[in-house]
Amino acid sequence: QDNALTENCIGYCYETGHGVDQNYLEAMAWYQKAADHGDTNAVQNIENLKETMGQSKTEGGQSLDSH
């Protein structure tokens, strides 16, 4: 469970650009790892990020399809 929390935190850093270049695709990958390891917050973060990515897609942002 500790690894899942760490993975979720890394995902957050990538989502927000805290200490790293902002990268939604990297954030999604880390959130997915956390979710796979049982972090229920990561599942919610995935849904929120999908919504954010859907909105940014119309603004020329990153999309899941480009990975």
Side-chain angles (χ1 to χ4, degrees):
Q1 188 67 22
D2 291 340
N3 287 343
L5 178 60
T6 301
E7 291 163 343
N8 191 44
C9 289
I10 294 171
Y12 177 79
C13 289
Y14 276 109
E15 180 179 358
T16 62
H18 185 79
V20 296
D21 290 335
Q22 186 179 40
N23 186 320
Y24 289 160
L25 298 177
E26 275 296 316
M28 186 67 71
W30 282 102
Y31 285 150
Q32 188 60 58
K33 288 179 187 183
D36 290 345
H37 290 126
D39 189 323
T40 56
N41 291 323
V43 174
Q44 184 61 51
N45 289 339
I46 289 169
E47 293 305 313
N48 293 341
L49 185 55
K50 283 181 181 179
E51 185 175 318
T52 298
M53 290 173 73
Q55 292 170 356
S56 70
K57 193 173 185 180
T58 61
E59 299 166 6
Q62 299 170 12
S63 73
L64 287 174
D65 298 335
S66 67
H67 188 77

